């Protein structure tokens, strides 16, 4: 399972506050904003976000390439979520799915090499919320890579995380884009399989 690190937790938290009607709903969050609304944590949140942005801007492997690397490990797999994590060696944590299988891999953000051991599981091992998202993903024709491209154009930056969130009965892609020293959240409602003309990007 993909552990809910700081940045991905920020995506989920902020996405619950975002409107879902637009294809690309862009919200800007300054790097020094306090996403949890707790004054006592503002210093640590600010430091964490700035550290993530500094490391992200210095990396050599874009998020889209990290997704492609992970998907290539298992032919026909699709990215369910991905997040950039700032450690001594910055990495992308990518979760891919295919049929009943789920894989989690860690990819070095500077070299593109796989680091650590792959974690393999099945849909039966997912919690109810994650399982619902994965099942819904099967009915979406848009790939995470497509959502990332739209988000990067809409926010004029580089994506550093992406995932799925269910809100008001709808499943949306939520992409976090780094633009300078700011984070911008882009929410996209993907077209469903079989619906023509619903892809507006």
């Amino acid at each position: 399972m993909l552990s809910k690190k700081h940045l991905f937790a920020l995506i989920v938290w902020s996405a619950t506050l975002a409107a879902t009607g637009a294809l690309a709903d862009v919200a800007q969050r300054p790097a020094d904003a306090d996403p949890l609304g707790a004054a006592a944590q503002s210093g640590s949140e600010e430091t964490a976000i700035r550290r993530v942005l500094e490391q992200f801007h210095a990396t050599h492997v874009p998020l889209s390439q990290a997704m492609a690397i992970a998907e290539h490990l298992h032919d026909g797999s699709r990215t369910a979520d991905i997040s950039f994590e700032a450690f001594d060696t910055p990495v992308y944590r990518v979760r891919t799915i295919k049929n009943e299988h789920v894989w989690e891999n860690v990819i070095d953000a500077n070299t593109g090499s796989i680091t650590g051991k792959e974690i393999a599981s099945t849909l039966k091992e997912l919690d109810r919320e994650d399982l619902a998202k994965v099942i819904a993903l099967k009915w979406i024709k848009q790939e995470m890579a497509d959502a990332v491209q739209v988000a990067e154009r809409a926010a004029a930056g580089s994506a550093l995380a992406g995932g799925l969130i269910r809100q008001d009965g709808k499943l949306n892609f939520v992409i976090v884009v780094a633009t300078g020293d700011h984070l911008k959240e882009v929410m996209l409602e993907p077209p469903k399989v079989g619906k023509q003309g619903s892809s507006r990007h």
Side-chain angles (χ1 to χ4, degrees):
M1 280 294 296
L2 179 68
S3 57
K4 297 297 186 285
K5 298 296 184 180
H6 168 78
L7 198 57
F8 197 73
L10 173 62
I11 298 171
V12 175
W13 175 87
S14 58
T16 61
L17 303 180
T20 61
L23 175 67
D25 179 23
V26 182
Q28 179 169 310
R29 180 174 304 287
D32 60 354
D34 177 13
L36 300 181
Q41 295 185 353
S42 61
S44 61
E45 294 290 339
E46 175 182 334
T47 301
I49 293 173
R50 285 185 174 158
R51 180 173 180 237
V52 167
L53 286 170
E54 286 172 3
Q55 286 205 341
F56 179 71
H57 288 310
T59 59
H60 303 292
V61 177
L63 179 137
S64 56
Q65 184 179 342
M67 283 193 298
I69 291 169
E71 291 174 356
H72 184 69
L73 294 173
H74 301 280
D75 191 39
S77 64
R78 303 175 69 184
T79 298
D81 47 47
I82 180 170
S83 61
F84 175 81
E85 298 178 1
F87 295 114
D88 291 336
T89 300
V91 299
Y92 291 101
R93 188 174 299 274
V94 191
R95 185 166 53 166
T96 55
I97 61 169
K98 181 182 179 182
N99 298 328
E100 300 297 312
H101 302 284
V102 182
W103 300 277
E104 181 181 330
N105 287 279
V106 177
I107 298 172
D108 189 305
N110 286 314
T111 66
S113 61
I114 308 299
T115 65
K117 186 178 180 181
E118 178 179 80
I119 300 174
S121 57
T122 65
L123 294 184
K124 294 179 181 178
E125 297 174 64
L126 299 180
D127 62 32
R128 183 179 297 178
E129 181 180 353
D130 281 335
L131 179 60
K133 292 175 184 176
V134 169
I135 291 173
L137 187 61
K138 294 180 179 181
W139 298 99
I140 295 173
K141 65 180 179 181
Q142 187 178 36
E143 300 289 344
M144 183 71 71
D146 300 325
V148 166
Q149 288 182 0
V150 173
E152 288 180 334
R153 288 198 301 268
S158 300
L160 74 166
L164 293 163
I165 184 169
R166 182 176 290 279
Q167 182 176 343
D168 299 329
K170 296 179 180 179
L171 188 74
N172 295 311
F173 286 112
V174 180
I175 312 296
V176 172
V177 180
T179 305
D181 61 349
H182 293 81
L183 295 178
K184 292 183 179 181
E185 303 143 5
V186 181
M187 184 175 289
L188 301 109
E189 183 179 344
K192 303 298 187 296
V193 172
K195 287 190 177 180
Q196 297 181 353
S198 58
S199 178
R200 291 171 289 167
H201 66 276

